Amino acid sequence: MKLMDKNLGLVEVQKLEGHTDRVWNVAWNPAADGVLASCSADKTVRIWEQSSLTRSWTCKAVLEGTHTRTVKSLAWSPSAKLLATASFDGTTCVWENFATDSESVSVLQVHESEVKSVSWNASGSLLATCGRDKSVWIWEVLPENEFDCAAVLTGHSEDVKMVLWHPTMDVLFSCSYDNTVKIWWSEDEYGDYNCVQTLGESNNGHSSTVWSISFNAAGDKMVTCSDDLTVKIWKTDISRMQSGEGYVPWTHVCTLSGFHDRTIYSVHWSRDGVIACGAGDDTIQLFVDSNSDSVDRPSYKLLLKKEKAHEKDVNSVQWAPDKESRLLASGSDDKMVKIWKLASEP
Amino acid sequence: MRSGEKKMDSVLINENPIIYPKRPRRVRTDQSNTDEFSVDPIDQLEIFDRIRDIRDPEHPKLSLEDLNILTEESVEVDDDKSYVRITFTPTLPHCHLPTPIGLCLLAKLAQSLPARFKVDVRVAPGSHDKEKTVNKQLGDKERVAAGLENPDLVALLNKMMQV
């Protein structure tokens, strides 16, 4: 199915009800098909699984009683053995064997106020967190669900909304209420991380809060979205960085504007090149590079716009990690999680 | 004009606020709409009625309307687009209380309006030193949500919304 097929639509597969307050984030299990986690202002995390028999989704577990305030964000470790959750209660919890008799929860309590985001690096050896106290923390992951603080990064002048490790290299990205994206890199393996680049208004960056970041599969392109109602694409020469040349800066490729008319909260780049955005205008919009087959400059176009994807703001969108399913999960202020499929409409 | 009440044990930022004469409330004329299934569009006055009596955080016996923080013109509504914008005017350009007023407006309208409405609250342009800062905070729903989980702030907002 070619991406520029005119009959493509985002088809609603199922609506998952259960959360009793807004859903802030959704995350697919990276190691098992058909398993999704969601987190909410209702202070819980729900794990949803697709039955191999009936193909329908049910709630398999509710992780509650640990966080005392909104759970804002969550992330599975690459092996999916651990699940990290970030909460307004100021803690980051890492769950092992959740919802079983051998459940163990590590509580990282370092941020001075709400924790907004958590991210694992590609190998699962490092965990990053960030929050309203403007700091970014990097943790070394030790055996037995233990963590050692490896770095405390200050530099943002405001609330840090999201942290995300690069998909192939141990380079950390953060985005903030201060309107910038910061890139943190350590020259050597001893973990002395420094801010090596700031993408701000002066280098074609956003003019308001940056809410979310996502990378393409190759890791040489990045997409960011913002309260300034735009989506921006960035690129770097990743092969030069991977060959040990040192840090190679990211540069702006293009800005997509005029598509959303409320804050864009979430952006996610699928393995096959489709960028999904979820926004406060209740829509989910998909973008692709219409020149990806040719040597021409990239040209990002709207693939489709799903109006009223939810009854209220869409806070999170995430593509399933596998290559074939083309499933997209979304979470909203309307308390719902939805599963969608990008498919040709009859 | 009455002078503001003086508390013995705390210093008010604006001790002598100007109190404005209340505009008479418009009585809604009986519309001859006999269709029980039709829904009237939400209009400016209806929204203003929901927020005009919110108490000022510093002067609980006075409403936002009494202090001219809100007037009917503060309310912009587009029912077709399900959009509302409230523009309020703090009594002093340097007072530190616009954020609770803004949060109270957001909370009150979230309770009163149908779920389809998007609401923006801002400080009147030129009316406050920290205009951009306050507007950005009020426009960040994650910051607003976290603020509304603060029990002290919730207690203040509830006091402001008591009629």
Side-chain angles (χ1 to χ4, degrees), chain A residues 168-185:
Chain A
T168 61
M169 303 192 68
D170 283 347
V171 184
L172 184 64
F173 293 71
S174 59
C175 61
S176 166
Y177 185 99
D178 69 12
N179 308 347
T180 71
V181 173
K182 280 186 182 287
I183 303 171
W184 312 87
W185 180 68

Side-chain angles (χ1 to χ4, degrees), chain A residues 19 21-26 38-42 70-74 86 88 116 211 265-266 313-317 330-333 335-337, chain B residues 140-146 149:
Chain A
H19 280 299
D21 205 328
R22 72 192 343 154
V23 177
W24 278 114
N25 255 293
V26 294
S38 60
C39 63
S40 163
D42 67 8
T70 289
V71 186
K72 173 71 211 317
S73 171
L74 77 184
F88 283 4
K116 302 288 174 97
W211 281 93
Y265 292 109
S266 175
D313 293 12
V314 182
N315 297 321
S316 178
V317 286
S330 63
S332 164
D333 277 357
K335 312 176 196 175
M336 301 290 149
V337 172
Chain B
D140 182 320
K141 76 175 184 192
E142 183 187 68
R143 295 288 285 265
V144 170
E149 288 181 3

Side-chain angles (χ1 to χ4, degrees), chain A residues 73-179:
Chain A
S73 171
L74 77 184
W76 300 84
S77 67
S79 64
K81 291 206 167 77
L82 301 172
L83 180 65
T85 56
S87 169
F88 283 4
D89 65 15
T91 71
T92 304
C93 287
V94 185
W95 307 70
E96 190 175 26
N97 300 320
F98 57 75
T100 68
D101 290 335
S102 47
E103 178 179 287
S104 118
V105 184
S106 285
V107 182
L108 308 175
Q109 186 148 24
V110 295
H111 284 285
E112 290 166 16
S113 49
E114 298 88 53
V115 190
K116 302 288 174 97
S117 176
V118 63
S119 174
W120 302 86
N121 70 342
S123 63
S125 64
L126 298 171
L127 183 70
T129 63
C130 68
R132 181 164 65 89
D133 64 6
K134 310 170 193 172
S135 70
V136 171
W137 285 63
I138 299 181
W139 303 85
E140 229 185 284
V141 182
L142 304 172
E144 320 273 308
N145 206 11
E146 297 271 319
F147 298 83
D148 228 359
C149 173
V152 183
L153 309 174
T154 53
H156 278 296
S157 58
E158 294 280 3
D159 179 13
V160 188
K161 297 297 196 187
M162 180 173 177
V163 277
L164 186 68
W165 288 98
H166 187 269
T168 61
M169 303 192 68
D170 283 347
V171 184
L172 184 64
F173 293 71
S174 59
C175 61
S176 166
Y177 185 99
D178 69 12
N179 308 347

Side-chain angles (χ1 to χ4, degrees), chain A residues 79 99 107 115 127 134 181 188 193 195 217-218 224 256 264 291 318 332:
Chain A
S79 64
V107 182
V115 190
L127 183 70
K134 310 170 193 172
V181 173
D188 57 40
Y193 280 81
C195 177
T224 57
L256 303 171
I264 308 166
N291 281 344
Q318 208 183 69
S332 164

Side-chain angles (χ1 to χ4, degrees), chain A residues 102-330:
Chain A
S102 47
E103 178 179 287
S104 118
V105 184
S106 285
V107 182
L108 308 175
Q109 186 148 24
V110 295
H111 284 285
E112 290 166 16
S113 49
E114 298 88 53
V115 190
K116 302 288 174 97
S117 176
V118 63
S119 174
W120 302 86
N121 70 342
S123 63
S125 64
L126 298 171
L127 183 70
T129 63
C130 68
R132 181 164 65 89
D133 64 6
K134 310 170 193 172
S135 70
V136 171
W137 285 63
I138 299 181
W139 303 85
E140 229 185 284
V141 182
L142 304 172
E144 320 273 308
N145 206 11
E146 297 271 319
F147 298 83
D148 228 359
C149 173
V152 183
L153 309 174
T154 53
H156 278 296
S157 58
E158 294 280 3
D159 179 13
V160 188
K161 297 297 196 187
M162 180 173 177
V163 277
L164 186 68
W165 288 98
H166 187 269
T168 61
M169 303 192 68
D170 283 347
V171 184
L172 184 64
F173 293 71
S174 59
C175 61
S176 166
Y177 185 99
D178 69 12
N179 308 347
T180 71
V181 173
K182 280 186 182 287
I183 303 171
W184 312 87
W185 180 68
S186 169
E187 255 183 306
D188 57 40
E189 67 208 75
Y190 298 106
D192 226 349
Y193 280 81
N194 291 298
C195 177
V196 286
Q197 199 179 2
T198 298
L199 304 175
E201 257 179 293
S202 55
N203 38 15
N204 287 303
H206 289 287
S207 55
S208 189
T209 300
V210 188
W211 281 93
S212 180
I213 305 169
S214 181
F215 295 97
N216 67 347
D220 66 341
K221 295 214 182 58
M222 167 172 72
V223 59
T224 57
C225 66
S226 166
D227 177 63
D228 69 6
L229 313 184
T230 73
V231 169
K232 288 179 183 280
I233 314 276
W234 309 82
K235 72 167 188 219
T236 192
D237 188 338
I238 199 70
S239 47
R240 278 175 58 204
M241 252 198 98
Q242 281 166 338
S243 65
E245 259 192 53
Y247 180 72
V248 180
W250 288 76
T251 55
H252 175 256
V253 173
C254 69
T255 298
L256 303 171
S257 59
F259 294 98
H260 285 288
D261 48 34
R262 302 284 294 175
T263 304
I264 308 166
Y265 292 109
S266 175
V267 66
H268 196 242
W269 212 322
S270 77
R271 296 183 65 91
D272 59 358
V274 185
I275 296 170
C277 301
D281 55 13
D282 312 343
T283 72
I284 293 174
Q285 301 196 27
L286 308 184
F287 299 90
V288 289
D289 176 8
S290 54
N291 281 344
S292 60
D293 289 339
S294 77
V295 295
D296 290 345
R297 291 189 62 225
S299 168
Y300 290 89
K301 299 226 150 66
L302 178 73
L303 179 64
L304 70 87
K305 177 176 183 171
K306 191 76 188 177
E307 301 257 24
K308 268 283 171 282
H310 281 273
E311 298 296 306
K312 289 185 171 185
D313 293 12
V314 182
N315 297 321
S316 178
V317 286
Q318 208 183 69
W319 292 102
D322 72 290
K323 288 194 173 142
E324 287 101 32
S325 71
R326 289 223 161 122
L327 291 183
L328 180 76
S330 63

